[in-house]
Amino acid sequence: MKKLIRSFGFAFKGVAYATSSQLNFRIHLGATVLVILTGYFFRISTAEWLWVGLCITLVLVTEIFNTMIETLTDLVSPGYNEKAGRIKDMSAGAVVIAALFALITGLIIFLPKLLLLI
């Protein structure tokens, strides 16, 4: 049981590191809070909450993977390396793809509700 608790401690330490060191992760966390508050305001359905939750998870996980890949790439290739740069670019591209999916999903869910307010 101690080992399991320790492993969760390491996991939370990793999330804390991403939060404290990565501006984009903090931006995504801020967007998460805004989306959750907006979801409560509009009383979105259970199915919509599942899509919102999937989007939030996908973006945060890809952002952490991006940080992992960039950190590991810097470790194994501290100097300039074209291939290392490509790896980092593709890693960042994965975050962009996840964020675009989240944005489109958010527009599909929230735009009709916003338009009803106008």
Side-chain angles (χ1 to χ4, degrees):
M1 189 65 168
K2 275 186 179 180
K3 200 172 188 179
L4 178 65
I5 292 171
R6 272 186 62 194
S7 67
F8 275 102
F10 293 135
F12 289 121
K13 185 177 176 182
V15 174
Y17 174 77
T19 303
S20 66
S21 68
Q22 302 299 310
L23 174 62
N24 287 340
F25 192 77
R26 290 191 301 271
I27 290 169
H28 292 306
L29 286 176
T32 294
V33 170
L34 181 64
V35 167
I36 290 171
L37 292 174
T38 305
Y40 278 115
F41 176 77
F42 284 118
R43 296 184 177 130
I44 63 175
S45 70
T46 301
E48 290 169 329
W49 273 118
L50 289 172
W51 281 103
V52 167
L54 174 66
C55 289
I56 289 169
T57 302
L58 184 63
V59 171
L60 293 178
V61 167
T62 54
E63 189 63 57
I64 285 180
F65 270 102
N66 179 49
T67 300
M68 291 166 34
I69 291 167
E70 287 184 351
T71 302
L72 184 59
T73 302
D74 290 343
L75 178 67
V76 299
S77 183
Y80 175 77
N81 182 305
E82 187 177 337
K83 288 182 180 178
R86 283 190 205 137
I87 290 167
K88 292 169 94 172
D89 291 346
M90 288 186 287
S91 177
V95 178
V96 169
I97 291 169
L100 284 173
F101 173 74
L103 176 64
I104 292 166
T105 302
L107 289 173
I108 291 169
I109 292 171
F110 291 112
L111 192 58
K113 295 165 179 27
L114 286 168
L115 292 175
L116 288 176
L117 291 178
I118 298 175

